[in-house]
């Protein structure tokens, strides 16, 4: 049985740094991925290139490849012994592993399909005649994207943003591989839960787990509510 009174007291005096790092990481990752995924999703939605299936497969790889595998290759590719890692360290004095930078890089790669696929689906569902009319009226692709396309795929945009944010919060394997468990820097909530379970401190693990479940549920409810209202507004 869970002692809810002790749990409540523990919540009030708890170390929230891992949660703060998780939310900070999720926010930064979501912002970065939005600006990267937007033009990429637009390209995938309308390109007739024979490379499209390969690009889509590459984009979806994080969905099927184990996080530890991705984490291992990122650790190998970004370490100070690699070309990329040594360049950043020698040029800028920045290490790309076992710090917050490593978490951002890993999260952007791991959460990339969660941002791209909903936006791409939204673009593909647009009325092509509406886009053609915009081009015929002299509007550029940039103007068409921001003035015509984006306002008409709000549900897809919100889904991409919220799901990417929620997915990043729950990352474990890949961030552990490249970031480790450094307090106040790379120790996210998922890693904190794992460490509490390892030492059989189930009460603290319950607190973090409860908060994560609540955030996940709230995120999904938000997606469904917002999308439902947006769909209703189309028919009003």
């Amino acid at each position: 049985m869970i002692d809810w009174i002790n749990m409540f007291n523990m919540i009030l005096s708890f170390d929230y740094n891992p949660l703060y790092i998780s939310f900070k990481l999720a926010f930064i990752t979501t912002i970065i991925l939005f600006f990267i995924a937007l033009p990429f999703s637009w390209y995938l939605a309308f390109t007739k290139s024979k490379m499209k299936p390969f690009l889509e497969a590459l984009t979806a790889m994080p969905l099927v490849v184990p996080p530890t595998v991705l984490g291992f290759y990122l650790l190998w590719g970004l370490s100070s012994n690699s070309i990329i890692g040594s360049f950043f360290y020698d040029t800028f004095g920045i290490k790309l592993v076992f710090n917050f930078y490593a978490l951002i890089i890993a999260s952007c790669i791991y959460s990339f399909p969660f941002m791209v696929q909903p936006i791409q689906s939204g673009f593909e569902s647009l009325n092509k005649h509406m886009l053609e009319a915009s081009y015929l009226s002299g509007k550029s692709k940039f103007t068409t994207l921001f003035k015509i396309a984006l306002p008409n795929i709000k549900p897809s945009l919100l889904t991409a943003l919220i799901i990417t944010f929620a997915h990043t919060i729950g990352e474990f394997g890949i961030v552990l591989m490249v970031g480790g468990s450094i307090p106040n820097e790379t120790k996210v909530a998922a890693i904190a839960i794992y460490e509490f379970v390892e030492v059989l401190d189930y009460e603290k693990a319950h607190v973090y787990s409860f908060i994560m479940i609540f955030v996940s549920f709230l995120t999904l409810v938000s997606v469904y509510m917002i999308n439902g209202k947006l769909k209703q507004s189309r028919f009003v």
Side-chain angles (χ1 to χ4, degrees), residues 8 22 99 112 202 209 225:
F8 180 74
S22 292
N99 54 35
F112 191 55
Y202 292 139
S209 298
M225 288 181 63

Side-chain angles (χ1 to χ4, degrees), residues 71-223:
F72 167 71
Y73 279 110
L74 279 175
L75 181 62
W76 173 74
L78 300 177
S79 68
S80 56
N81 295 324
S82 69
I83 296 176
I84 297 174
S86 61
F87 170 78
F88 272 87
Y89 185 75
D90 295 339
T91 306
F92 305 106
I94 298 175
K95 291 179 64 178
L96 296 181
V97 292
F98 299 115
N99 54 35
F100 193 71
Y101 295 113
L103 299 190
I104 294 174
I105 296 171
S107 297
C108 284
I109 292 174
Y110 193 46
S111 295
F112 191 55
F114 292 89
M115 182 68 77
V116 171
Q117 291 182 351
I119 298 177
Q120 180 185 347
S121 297
F123 284 145
E124 290 175 344
S125 67
L126 286 172
N127 187 326
K128 303 302 184 293
H129 298 296
M130 178 175 59
L131 300 179
E132 291 172 359
S134 176
Y135 295 140
L136 290 173
S137 64
K139 300 290 192 302
S140 65
K141 287 187 177 181
F142 183 84
T143 303
T144 301
L145 170 62
F146 284 94
K147 294 290 184 68
I148 306 296
L150 292 185
N152 284 281
I153 62 163
K154 288 180 181 178
S156 298
L157 287 174
L158 288 171
T159 298
L161 291 168
I162 295 175
I163 294 298
T164 300
F165 184 86
H167 179 260
T168 305
I169 289 176
E171 289 176 7
F172 172 72
I174 192 169
V175 296
L176 180 61
M177 291 289 288
V178 301
S181 178
I182 304 173
N184 302 323
E185 186 171 3
T186 66
K187 187 176 180 179
V188 297
I191 294 175
I193 294 171
Y194 174 77
E195 291 182 348
F196 285 137
V197 172
E198 273 196 318
V199 297
L200 304 181
D201 191 345
Y202 292 139
E203 287 190 354
K204 291 181 180 178
H206 271 303
V207 175
Y208 277 115
S209 298
F210 177 78
I211 293 173
M212 297 292 280
I213 290 173
F214 178 75
V215 170
S216 299
F217 179 75
L218 191 64
T219 299
L220 292 173
V221 169
S222 301
V223 171

Side-chain angles (χ1 to χ4, degrees), residues 9-77:
N9 292 330
M10 195 181 302
I11 290 174
L12 295 179
S13 59
F14 211 61
D15 176 17
Y16 287 96
N17 275 323
L19 288 169
Y20 168 74
I21 294 172
S22 292
F23 282 102
K24 177 183 175 182
L25 175 64
F27 179 78
I28 294 174
T29 299
T30 302
I31 295 299
I32 293 173
L33 284 183
F34 176 74
F35 288 103
I36 295 175
L38 195 60
F40 186 69
S41 300
W42 176 267
Y43 173 78
L44 286 181
F46 300 110
T47 184
K48 300 187 184 302
S49 171
K50 293 181 180 180
M51 290 297 296
K52 179 178 178 179
F54 296 96
L55 291 174
E56 289 179 321
L58 189 62
T59 301
M61 282 290 285
L63 298 175
V64 295
V65 175
T68 50
V69 173
L70 287 175
F72 167 71
Y73 279 110
L74 279 175
L75 181 62
W76 173 74

